Amino acid sequence: MEDEVESPCIRNCTIDARSGFCHGCYRTLREISCWSSYNPPQQRALLAVIEQRKAANPR
């Protein structure tokens, strides 16, 4: 399906205690657990938020 959005998971699943974001994909535990229930526009919106988090929290 061309509307599908690929998960941002890169299999580096460790949650940072300070930020609450995954070290690999920058999602919260809630966002990770809800990813498959989000529709494509919601997933794309979250991907945009993730890019902002990466910029604000470089590693």
Side-chain angles (χ1 to χ4, degrees):
M1 178 185 267
E2 57 186 75
D3 209 25
E4 255 182 69
V5 179
E6 188 173 333
S7 169
C9 181
I10 61 167
R11 310 294 189 268
N12 183 15
C13 307
T14 308
I15 302 298
D16 181 82
R18 186 177 52 84
S19 69
F21 303 142
C22 174
H23 284 279
C25 68
Y26 287 83
R27 293 181 291 173
T28 65
L29 283 174
R30 177 153 175 74
E31 291 164 343
I32 292 167
S33 66
C34 292
W35 178 262
S36 61
S37 68
Y38 292 161
N39 61 40
Q42 291 171 312
Q43 291 172 334
R44 283 190 282 279
L46 179 54
L47 291 176
V49 169
I50 289 168
E51 288 306 314
Q52 292 173 346
R53 288 176 184 164
K54 284 181 184 179
N57 299 287
R59 299 210 167 99

